[in-house]
Amino acid sequence: MPERTESDSRKLLRRLRDSLAVPGKGQDRLDRITSLIADSMRTEVCSIYLFRDPETLELCATEGLNKSAVHQTRMKLGEGLVGRVARLGQPVNTANAPAEKGFRFMPETGEEIYSSFLGVPIQRVGEKLGVLVVQSKAARAYSEDEIDALDVVAMVLAEMAELGAFAGEGDAMGAKHKQPVLIRGGTGQEGAAEGRVWLHEPRVVVTNPVADDPLTEIDRIREAVGVLRVSVDDLLAAESLDKDQKAVLEAYRMFAHSRGWLRRMEEDIQRGLSAEAAVEKEQSAARNRLEQVPDAYLRDRLHDLDDLSNRLLRILTGQGSDTGAEMPENPVLVARNIGPAELLEYGRKLRGVVLEEGSVGSHAAIVARALAIPLVINADRITTEALNGDPILVDGDQGLVHLRPDETVARSFRDKIAMQAEAQKRYASLRDLPATTRDGQTVALLMNAGLMADLPSLEGSGAEGVGLFRTELQFLIRNRMPQRAELAQTYARVMDAARGRPVAFRTLDIGSDKVLPYMKPQDEPNPAMGWRAIRVGLDKPGVLRMQLQALLRAANGRPLSIMFPFISEHGEFMMARSHTLREIHRERSLGHTVPASIEIGAMLETPSLAYAPQAFFDLADFVSIGGNDLKQFFFAADRENERVRKRYDTLNLSFLSFLELVVQRCAASGTRLSFCGEDAGRPIEALALAAIGLRVLSMRPASVGPVKSLLRRVDLAQARAVIETARTAGAESARPALMEWLATQQD
Ligand code: PEP
Ligand code: MG
């Protein structure tokens, strides 16, 4: 068997490209291509299998096997040698296929007479499209050169498929990125939206996978890699880098200077690929490895390589991240991940956000919540599947994404959106009415906030004030520590926007899930119970004092309300309070105006504080129950852990009894009490909280309407009696009884 040369390979790619230029049906092209490949590779068989759905491959063209098997022979991912290639995303090469483990005999193809088998995946930047196979009668293993050559051919086929070259009848031949796809992810922010895909980082489109002149292409890739290296070095030289950014860029630099990377791309160019296609081929291989690596650190590094490949492609094609595409109306942002500052920049013009990664507590999720934009996280493969402008439905309630939905799905989805809009209208009509129950109890409904973007909701939602202003968000969206003057200005704007309504500023609550990018991360075995919130504030009071000063200056003579997070014992509250008094004294001695009045409160987020000495309740101006944390510590169930997060019901009677104890202790000392965890914004939960005696609830702005609407419909004394009866009956949770009772109440 004569050696296969690079020029053989180039000749084949050119012939493939030319076959594309001839107008014709997808099937004719595939047939021609299999015969070209068999001829060039000097094998008796060449077959192309394509995915008809994510689990099933279909024989779509063959030279050498029985033609009658085309579109008939199918196999599952992982089944037989072809299925194995697809699953692994790597070549399988054997001289004796029938003896190979997993070999599946397919009589209809006449395959048994072929001994040698070489299959390579047809894939494109993480998207598996099919398998390309050559087979011969002679029992021989294919050489490394032949494997590489076939790999390059498969790459070109993948690019051709992407360009729609093989589009034809049936699922396997259907054009890519045209079919409807349903992706199941997780809920980041509730709500439903219909819109069109807007890719945060659009894919670079490679239109020329095959190049005639390898020397020119090699010059191009060397030059582009040179530019890339300089740009990474420049980024590294920037002064304002924190440790993590530096670590990522160091990894970029390592890859950018990797000889192996450039060498592999040059070899592929020698075989006939264009510089762009060579970069994509490497990128595909990296993505493929990414899927197989369980180690989080290695996965991050492979992500880095992926990013770097994108940069290189942009240099080569001159396509910036701004492709000139116009943002569609009703854009739904689709991204692997996005930083809080970038998301804020898009702001409210987005209808929805879908992220391939992300978590409930991520900063992007916090921002999406503030902007009240439906968010789906962990939407597997969305960035590979979605194209700019694709129709998309985002179901934030269920964590579902319908990409390119068919009309029946879209129609029923629109009904859901219309129903939500209808409800919003109803809530808007209640905006200026109090949340007064049928038996005349009034519950104050406030909103939680943390970003400037939240403030317009104060007017729109009908909230009576801000019951929790999470000051850490202003720290989280920056990449450096904000300064006192900046913070003072922000807080002043918040108070201006509140126009005399109360705002409870919670001092910095960092640690646990909220890690500042510019602060040294603490390596703690259990950060939720670690050095966080007020514990940090008291141990390193510099930032706390700066923040207190900023608040005092922002108030500029107006009343001020400050609360300290995560107070676990009386002593902590006393210390935090005396820091505040000291700062007031200092401000006064500097001649600054101090607030007209000041309230200092504590967040009750650990069960211990409910049992604090009487002196604590006497000293605190108010107590706010941080139900998110309190619940996780009451039940010892991590609020960030999907497995246990919803395991225990907030309406569990043990928990309600515990909350009642807090209500009683505050009532006994005349200490104002509010509840500001997420549960305050869930109507049934809010009803139960009001029934056990809470009269101030602080929630997401979007929840004010639904909660008010329910409270205005019910008799609180009756709700309380329902809870009591459930307790006496030994129920675990008051929910079933409350639901049953609610069903009997008329609108
Ligand atoms: C809480 O724990 O309930 C709370 C309001 O604080 P955060 O959710 O910011 O921890
Ligand atoms: Mg908390």
Side-chain angles (χ1 to χ4, degrees):
M1 178 87 27
E3 279 286 298
R4 188 175 171 78
T5 65
E6 281 171 350
S7 81
D8 289 338
S9 195
R10 282 203 296 275
K11 216 181 293 162
L12 172 59
L13 293 200
R14 270 204 297 275
R15 288 164 80 186
L16 291 181
R17 184 188 57 191
D18 295 345
S19 77
L20 240 194
V22 184
K25 292 205 180 110
Q27 187 66 53
D28 298 341
R29 285 198 176 123
L30 276 186
D31 291 345
R32 181 155 166 68
I33 283 171
T34 48
S35 101
L36 283 174
I37 298 172
D39 180 41
S40 167
M41 300 286 293
R42 300 178 194 97
T43 59
E44 282 109 356
V45 174
C46 170
S47 311
I48 293 175
Y49 298 80
L50 296 175
F51 278 101
R52 52 177 283 120
D53 61 54
E55 292 295 318
T56 322
L57 287 149
E58 179 174 305
L59 177 66
C60 284
T62 185
E63 174 69 29
L65 297 184
N66 290 343
K67 295 269 187 208
S68 58
V70 170
H71 296 305
Q72 303 302 320
T73 294
R74 290 176 190 163
M75 67 266 306
K76 291 278 169 215
L77 187 66
E79 187 188 354
L81 298 186
V82 174
R84 196 198 310 168
V85 175
R87 162 154 294 162
L88 296 177
Q90 277 166 14
V92 168
N93 177 18
T94 169
N96 187 0
E100 196 72 17
K101 194 165 146 252
F103 174 79
R104 202 194 102 190
F105 175 52
M106 291 176 289
E108 74 277 15
T109 60
E111 182 175 51
E112 77 276 27
I113 51 175
Y114 300 104
S115 182
S116 67
F117 173 104
L118 169 61
V120 297
I122 306 174
Q123 59 191 357
R124 189 183 167 273
V125 209
E127 189 175 21
K128 289 183 170 154
L129 300 166
V131 175
L132 171 63
V133 176
V134 290
Q135 292 171 282
S136 318
K137 283 186 192 148
R140 66 173 185 108
Y142 293 92
S143 69
E144 281 299 317
D145 269 350
E146 283 170 313
I147 299 173
D148 289 341
L150 200 65
D151 228 4
V152 164
V153 170
M155 171 72 205
V156 171
L157 293 184
E159 292 296 338
M160 289 171 145
E162 178 71 15
L163 296 172
F166 310 134
E169 300 289 305
D171 288 340
M173 304 274 294
K176 298 292 156 209
H177 303 290
K178 291 273 191 294
Q179 289 109 329
V181 182
L182 168 65
I183 296 177
R184 284 173 204 284
T187 293
Q189 155 75 13
E190 290 85 358
E194 176 173 17
R196 295 208 169 249
V197 169
W198 179 251
L199 290 169
H200 179 51
E201 283 178 329
R203 270 199 300 278
V204 176
V205 185
V206 175
T207 47
N208 59 338
V210 179
D212 289 321
D213 180 2
L215 291 181
T216 313
E217 294 302 298
I218 284 180
D219 280 349
R220 288 182 65 223
I221 192 107
R222 285 188 184 162
E223 197 183 315
V225 168
V227 173
L228 179 74
R229 287 175 181 167
V230 172
S231 75
V232 173
D233 288 347
D234 285 352
L235 283 173
L236 256 171
E239 275 169 16
S240 58
L241 294 178
D242 62 45
K243 224 175 88 199
D244 285 349
Q245 288 167 320
K246 225 180 175 134
V248 169
L249 286 172
E250 290 287 4
Y252 277 14
R253 173 150 73 181
M254 191 186 81
F255 287 125
H257 287 265
S258 146
R259 292 231 184 96
W261 190 45
L262 183 57
R263 194 198 61 236
R264 286 193 301 275
M265 291 191 286
E266 289 186 1
E267 284 169 1
D268 288 335
I269 290 173
Q270 290 288 9
R271 294 189 187 97
L273 287 189
S274 67
E276 288 86 346
V279 177
E280 271 204 352
K281 183 163 171 285
E282 274 299 299
Q283 196 178 13
S284 291
R287 284 260 180 116
N288 201 31
R289 267 176 274 151
L290 193 72
E291 274 178 19
Q292 331 250 328
V293 173
D295 179 274
Y297 175 79
L298 277 179
R299 286 177 64 88
D300 277 350
R301 295 291 77 81
L302 287 168
H303 268 320
D304 294 342
L305 183 55
D306 198 55
D307 284 343
L308 204 67
S309 306
N310 280 335
R311 277 169 191 255
L312 189 54
L313 278 173
R314 292 192 196 295
I315 295 170
L316 276 168
T317 57
Q319 294 172 28
S321 50
D322 181 5
T323 55
E326 234 178 85
M327 190 184 265
E329 255 182 65
N330 302 328
V332 169
L333 185 93
V334 170
R336 200 170 73 207
N337 220 336
I338 186 166
E342 286 169 302
L343 188 52
L344 264 178
E345 229 168 85
Y346 282 108
R348 285 180 203 274
K349 61 176 167 256
L350 298 179
R351 287 282 153 274
V353 180
V354 181
L355 300 180
E356 200 156 304
E357 297 174 356
S359 70
V360 189
S362 71
H363 304 163
I366 291 170
V367 171
R369 249 167 250 151
L371 298 170
I373 300 172
L375 165 70
V376 172
I377 52 174
N378 296 327
D380 201 22
R381 304 180 53 74
I382 185 74
T383 56
T384 320
E385 287 287 353
L387 296 182
N388 254 344
D390 276 349
I392 185 169
L393 307 172
V394 184
D395 184 342
D397 303 330
Q398 313 276 337
L400 295 180
V401 179
H402 300 270
L403 187 65
R404 303 182 285 268
D406 58 40
E407 195 43 37
T408 40
V409 174
R411 220 174 298 132
S412 72
F413 200 81
R414 272 175 217 133
D415 289 346
K416 179 176 169 145
I417 295 179
M419 264 166 56
Q420 288 186 350
E422 197 54 43
Q424 287 305 329
K425 247 194 258 162
R426 215 175 47 242
Y427 302 145
S429 69
L430 299 177
R431 201 191 64 174
D432 300 320
L433 299 175
T436 303
T437 61
R438 287 217 168 127
D439 52 340
Q441 300 287 332
T442 299
V443 182
L445 304 184
L446 290 83
M447 64 173 244
N448 296 343
L451 295 169
M452 297 317 269
D454 289 316
L455 299 179
S457 301
L458 246 178
E459 298 302 329
S461 66
E464 294 170 44
V466 178
L468 164 65
F469 190 87
R470 291 181 162 105
T471 59
E472 61 277 4
L473 299 195
Q474 296 295 334
F475 287 72
L476 285 168
I477 58 172
R478 290 175 163 79
N479 50 19
R480 57 168 179 80
M481 180 72 83
Q483 299 190 333
R484 184 178 60 193
E486 256 176 287
L487 286 181
Q489 208 179 25
T490 307
Y491 300 152
R493 277 173 60 201
V494 175
M495 288 185 227
D496 293 346
R499 295 201 282 152
R501 281 170 286 208
V503 180
F505 287 95
R506 170 175 81 184
T507 61
L508 198 56
D509 181 4
I510 49 158
S512 188
D513 58 318
K514 299 167 194 145
V515 183
L516 297 186
Y518 41 87
M519 259 170 110
K520 196 164 140 241
Q522 301 295 318
D523 191 13
E524 294 186 295
N526 192 343
M529 296 197 203
W531 198 54
R532 54 174 289 199
I534 196 64
R535 299 172 184 175
V536 180
L538 294 178
D539 292 356
K540 294 239 183 277
V543 179
L544 178 67
R545 287 178 44 205
M546 181 268 277
Q547 205 186 5
L548 290 169
Q549 290 160 12
L551 284 165
L552 293 167
R553 292 193 187 174
N556 193 22
R558 290 177 281 194
L560 179 64
S561 175
I562 297 175
M563 65 180 176
F564 293 105
F566 216 65
I567 298 284
S568 298
E569 58 176 22
H570 180 38
E572 286 174 343
F573 183 65
M574 285 200 298
M575 279 190 277
R577 190 171 176 277
S578 65
H579 273 299
T580 317
L581 299 181
R582 204 174 313 139
E583 290 313 319
I584 295 177
H585 182 71
R586 182 172 168 275
E587 287 295 296
R588 200 180 273 128
S589 64
L590 287 172
H592 294 141
T593 319
V594 295
S597 61
I598 180 151
E599 292 179 328
I600 306 175
M603 283 188 74
L604 191 152
E605 303 188 86
T606 59
S608 62
L609 198 64
Y611 301 98
Q614 184 59 33
F616 162 73
F617 290 94
D618 290 340
L619 190 65
D621 292 316
F622 65 94
V623 168
S624 190
I625 298 173
N628 306 335
D629 275 314
L630 182 62
K631 192 177 156 196
Q632 83 165 334
F633 294 118
F634 187 80
F635 289 111
D638 188 344
R639 64 190 261 190
E640 288 290 317
N641 180 339
E642 287 300 326
R643 263 195 137 138
V644 297
R645 185 163 95 76
K646 294 188 186 144
R647 191 179 176 99
Y648 304 100
D649 191 354
T650 305
L651 301 194
N652 177 302
L653 282 152
S654 315
F655 190 50
L656 289 184
S657 302
F658 178 75
L659 294 177
E660 275 189 284
L661 168 77
V662 179
V663 171
Q664 283 154 14
R665 291 216 64 186
C666 287
S669 55
T671 314
R672 273 191 301 110
L673 176 64
S674 61
F675 187 106
C676 64
E678 293 300 314
D679 285 318
R682 303 192 172 108
I684 312 274
E685 279 80 344
L687 165 63
L689 292 172
I692 61 164
L694 278 142
R695 288 294 172 270
V696 185
L697 302 176
S698 190
M699 61 198 71
R700 298 183 195 177
S703 300
V704 173
V707 168
K708 190 188 284 184
S709 162
L710 180 64
L711 287 177
R712 286 176 60 84
R713 276 174 45 206
V714 296
D715 182 309
L716 221 45
Q718 276 183 29
R720 186 177 185 107
V722 171
I723 295 175
E724 277 320 316
T725 313
R727 198 196 318 260
T728 316
E732 190 107 79
S733 161
R735 190 177 301 274
L738 270 179
M739 299 290 281
E740 208 175 297
W741 171 71
L742 271 177
T744 65
Q745 305 296 295
Q746 345 141 321
D747 275 345

